[in-house]
């Protein structure tokens, strides 16, 4: 793979006394969706949190667009063009939807065309623009969380389980928005437990186990090989 | 762009009970005013006590607002906040004493100029002191509550001793500027001029803070940072820098509160800030950690209740604030308007 947007080289991350990432080697290609898959507790969320800088590394290097950002602070990584959607959504409940979006536009006011584009992807945000984010439903909060990452053009999106616990109608709204990002050529590293969504969106896949990447390859290969799925993730999903 | 799948947004209706529960903290102050009126009976006495209570509440709010933000933003328990109150009072009152000719002149303009200069000097000095305090004392102990308590209490003691070194060990008595002495009579009630000024300054400050928090990006960053600092950083804002700014502003506000409290009491001591910290902590706790609005409501309640109880049942005045805090925490264990969840 040549010139990936994000590269993790032998990354080790500790959380308190626990050694979570045990030498992660991962490349996220430019302009494609890379699915980060694996069973619960194997280190997917920690990988994303390490990539954005919430967790420091004990060893290894993180390269963003060729630049070593291992020692770079979270805020500076974000300003370099990394958008992050955490698993818990990270919504500011006390702020309105509008204020959440205003804050997400770091480099200046939210561009109206961008806002309208987000309204197209997530119509409820227009409806509840002036409402406190804390009063939104779970699905609407997830929409806001992703919309915030989309408030400005980013060079890379790190998205952690955007469809977790959502109703099917909202899952398809999420998938539609992510597909829209994909068609615009965005680079995305996506943790997703919903295999149907992963299969529909993913170009590449990386499977984790015990704090390491144990398999990488085209998503289509993983999606069509039930045996591979069972071996890597412990259960066979809807292989087609 | 592709059409989004059909999704009809709905929002569960908020019941009248929920609305009342949300509004209740704001309603507590008017409820307390009405209860005070009914209990006192005499309108002029009630008005005098109410203005006195509001003035006291405003001054406590000024001192507490910085502390609640510091705690909310960076989870720092700063017992040294009281030192900024004392230093502010000593610097401000030194200005008042240094400009005694202006202070004693029967001119409202000159007197207000003295107060303004005293406030500016106090805020500049305590702001700078706050910056040094954060860099030297607080920064090394982020995330360690026990160490924070120990080193900030240590800082408080050192600064109090420095006050003794610079201004001497004795308390300093002084008189307010000439035109701020005495009272005006309104509706049969004697209202101290200085208390009216304190209410006005407190109100202006609260409105200004609200506007900053609601209308400016830095205000949004602070509000968001109190709720989820990690996410604010992930959006691209260096929260540590914002925190240093808030710490400086909070220290300067404590200095302002110190000057106003000193002018109110007409005596200052090195330990006055430490003594005020009990009320300040009560206000921060019952208001809800990280909430400026909660601190405002809490401060007004503390000020009003203390004045009403002192009039109605003087012996109970000593425990009125602890009683208020107990009642509020039994009703809402995280305070009236918590922004930061209990940690």
């Amino acid at each position: 793979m040549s010139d990936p947007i994000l590269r993790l080289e032998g990354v080790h991350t500790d959380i308190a006394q626990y050694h979570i990432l045990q030498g992660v080697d991962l490349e996220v290609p430019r302009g494609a969706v890379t699915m980060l898959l694996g069973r619960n507790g194997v280190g997917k969320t920690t990988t994303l949190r390490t990539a954005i800088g919430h967790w420091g590394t004990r060893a290894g290097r993180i390269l963003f667009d060729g630049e070593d950002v291992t020692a770079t602070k979270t805020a500076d990584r974000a300003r370099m063009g990394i958008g992050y959607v955490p698993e818990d959504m990270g919504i500011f409940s006390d702020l309105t939807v509008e204020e959440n979006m205003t804050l997400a536009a770091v480099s200046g006011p939210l561009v109206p065309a961008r806002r309208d584009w987000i309204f197209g992807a997530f119509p409820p945000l227009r409806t509840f623009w002036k409402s406190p984010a804390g009063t939104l439903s779970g699905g609407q909060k997830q929409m806001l969380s992703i919309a915030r990452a989309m408030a400005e053009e980013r060079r890379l999106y790190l998205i952690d389980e955007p469809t977790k616990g959502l109703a099917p109608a909202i899952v398809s709204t999420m998938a539609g928005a992510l597909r829209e990002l994909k068609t615009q050529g965005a680079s995305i590293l996506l943790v997703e437990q919903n295999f149907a969504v992963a299969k529909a969106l993913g170009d590449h896949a990386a499977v984790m186990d015990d704090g390491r990447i144990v398999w990488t390859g085209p998503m289509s290969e993983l999606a069509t090989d039930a045996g591979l799925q069972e071996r890597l993730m412990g259960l066979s999903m809807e292989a087609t | 762009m592709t059409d989004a799948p059909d999704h009809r947004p709905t929002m569960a209706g908020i019941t009248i009970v929920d609305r009342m529960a949300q509004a209740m903290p704001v309603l507590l102050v008017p409820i307390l005013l009405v209860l005070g009126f009914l209990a006192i009976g005499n309108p002029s006495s009630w008005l005098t006590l109410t203005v006195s209570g509001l003035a006291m509440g405003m001054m406590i709010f000024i001192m507490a607002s910085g502390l609640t933000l510091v705690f909310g933003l960076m989870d720092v328990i700063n017992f040294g906040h009281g030192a900024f109150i004392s230093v502010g009072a000593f610097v401000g009152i030194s200005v008042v004493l240094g400009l005694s000719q202006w202070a004693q002149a029967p001119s409202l303009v000159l007197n207000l100029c003295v107060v303004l200069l005293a406030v500016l000097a106090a805020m500049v000095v305590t702001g700078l002191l706050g910056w040094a305090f954060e860099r030297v004392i607080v920064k090394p102990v982020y995330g360690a509550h026990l160490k924070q308590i120990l080193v900030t209490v240590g800082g408080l003691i050192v600064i109090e001793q420095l006050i003794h070194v610079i201004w001497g060990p004795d308390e300093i008595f002084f008189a307010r500027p000439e035109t701020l002495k005495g009272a005006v009579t309104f509706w049969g009630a004697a209202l101290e001029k200085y208390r009216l000024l304190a209410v006005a300054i407190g109100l202006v400050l609260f409105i200004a803070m609200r506007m900053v928090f609601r209308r400016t990006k830095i205000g949004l960053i602070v509000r968001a940072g109190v709720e989820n600092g990690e996410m604010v950083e992930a959006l691209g804002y260096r929260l540590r820098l914002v925190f240093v700014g808030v710490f400086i502003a909070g220290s300067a506000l404590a200095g302002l509160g110190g000057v106003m409290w000193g002018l109110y009491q007409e005596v200052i001591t090195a330990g006055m800030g430490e003594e005020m910290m009990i009320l300040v902590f009560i206000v921060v706790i019952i208001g809800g950690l990280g909430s400026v609005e909660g601190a405002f409501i809490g401060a007004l309640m503390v000020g009003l209740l203390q004045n009403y109880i002192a009039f109605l049942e003087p012996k109970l005045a000593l425990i009125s604030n602890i009683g208020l805090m107990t009642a509020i925490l039994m009703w809402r264990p995280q305070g009236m308007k918590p922004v930061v969840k209990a940690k």
Side-chain angles (χ1 to χ4, degrees), chain A residues 33 35 175 179 182 190 194-203 219 223:
Chain A
V33 178
M35 307 303 305
R179 196 175 297 116
K182 180 180 171 178
L190 180 62
N194 184 326
F195 200 71
V197 173
K199 198 169 62 178
L201 290 173
D203 299 305
M219 186 67 213

Side-chain angles (χ1 to χ4, degrees), chain A residues 173-197:
Chain A
T173 302
M174 293 297 165
L178 295 173
R179 196 175 297 116
E180 176 65 25
L181 264 185
K182 180 180 171 178
T183 56
Q184 292 194 345
S187 307
I188 303 174
L189 177 59
L190 180 62
V191 172
E192 181 56 68
Q193 296 281 26
N194 184 326
F195 200 71
V197 173

Side-chain angles (χ1 to χ4, degrees), chain B residues 38-226:
Chain B
L38 295 175
I40 292 164
N42 182 337
S44 60
S45 298
W46 172 80
L47 189 54
T48 301
L49 291 167
T50 297
V51 171
S52 175
L54 289 176
M56 182 180 170
M58 293 293 183
M59 286 183 272
I60 297 171
F61 162 70
I62 292 168
M63 298 176 216
S65 54
L67 190 71
T68 197
L69 282 175
V70 164
F71 190 92
L73 259 184
M74 296 303 264
D75 199 18
V76 168
I77 302 172
N78 180 19
F79 278 80
H81 198 72
F84 306 133
I85 296 171
S86 298
V87 170
F90 275 83
V91 170
I93 299 313
S94 296
V95 171
V96 172
L97 294 173
L99 295 172
S100 57
Q101 285 189 329
W102 285 17
Q104 287 164 10
S107 159
L108 182 62
V109 174
L110 282 179
N111 291 172
L112 288 180
C113 279
V114 170
V115 173
L116 184 66
L117 288 172
V119 162
L120 281 176
M123 291 181 78
V124 168
V125 171
T126 51
L128 289 172
L129 185 63
W131 172 75
F133 197 88
E134 195 278 336
R135 292 288 92 183
V136 176
I137 293 180
V138 177
K139 191 182 171 191
V141 292
Y142 276 127
H145 279 167
L146 183 59
K147 287 181 182 172
Q148 283 168 11
I149 293 169
L150 291 173
V151 300
T152 57
V153 167
L156 172 71
I157 293 168
V158 169
I159 292 173
E160 280 184 4
Q161 294 308 309
L162 284 174
I163 290 174
H164 285 311
V165 170
I166 297 168
W167 281 280
D170 300 325
E171 54 200 3
I172 298 175
F173 292 91
F174 59 94
R176 275 179 219 144
E178 194 61 31
T179 56
L180 298 179
K181 291 175 184 169
V184 293
T185 306
F186 177 75
W187 207 28
L191 308 178
E192 272 195 42
K193 292 176 191 171
Y194 182 72
R195 289 175 182 174
L196 292 173
L197 178 69
V199 172
I201 291 175
L203 263 181
V204 167
L205 196 72
F206 176 65
I207 291 167
M209 286 175 82
R210 245 185 98 86
M211 287 181 71
V212 168
F213 287 133
R214 305 265 162 195
R215 305 267 172 88
T216 68
K217 199 154 191 176
I218 189 71
L220 288 183
I221 293 169
V222 172
R223 283 168 62 205
V226 168

